[in-house]
Amino acid sequence: GAKLTISKSICPTTVTENGRLTYTFVIQNVGNEPAVATDDVTVTDTFNPILSGLTVTYNDVAWTENINYVYSETTGEFATNAGQITVPAAEYTQDPVTGEWIIEPGVSVITVTGTV
């Protein structure tokens, strides 16, 4: 089945008031099956500092608030809606010389940018 991990990065590490901040969530699947929409994978986070004027992309495609995700500018709580995230299965190849198995995870990326 799908075996997911997630990492989050923030750029830039130092931002001033009214500056732009970007959170990047990388979801990896090392499983032999994809995570599909019916698996209802969701990502939640509370942004601190709280952002305004969000732009959100999923695998470089623009997302729409309330359709793909919800966000509160009061609390900083961000959540993707169920059924929006899919992650391809990993690809497994065997090195013909060493016999070692090489795993290339399936990857999906959510990028959230907003003003501090």
Side-chain angles (χ1 to χ4, degrees), residues 23-90:
Y23 289 90
T24 303
F25 300 89
V26 178
I27 308 161
Q28 293 188 330
N29 181 5
V30 296
N32 61 355
E33 292 183 17
V36 295
T38 55
D39 290 329
D40 289 336
V41 174
T42 59
V43 172
T44 61
D45 199 7
T46 301
F47 298 144
N48 183 14
I50 294 173
L51 304 177
S52 62
L54 289 191
T55 57
V56 179
T57 63
Y58 172 72
N59 294 333
D60 295 323
V61 174
W63 265 10
T64 303
E65 188 170 8
N66 296 321
I67 294 173
N68 307 109
Y69 70 94
V70 292
Y71 179 65
S72 169
E73 286 191 12
T74 304
T75 63
E77 293 177 11
F78 172 87
T80 63
N81 292 334
Q84 300 300 306
I85 295 175
T86 60
V87 187

Side-chain angles (χ1 to χ4, degrees), residues 86-108:
T86 60
V87 187
E91 292 183 19
Y92 296 83
T93 55
Q94 190 172 25
D95 185 299
V97 175
T98 66
E100 180 180 350
W101 282 96
I102 301 163
I103 302 172
E104 183 68 35
V107 176
S108 289

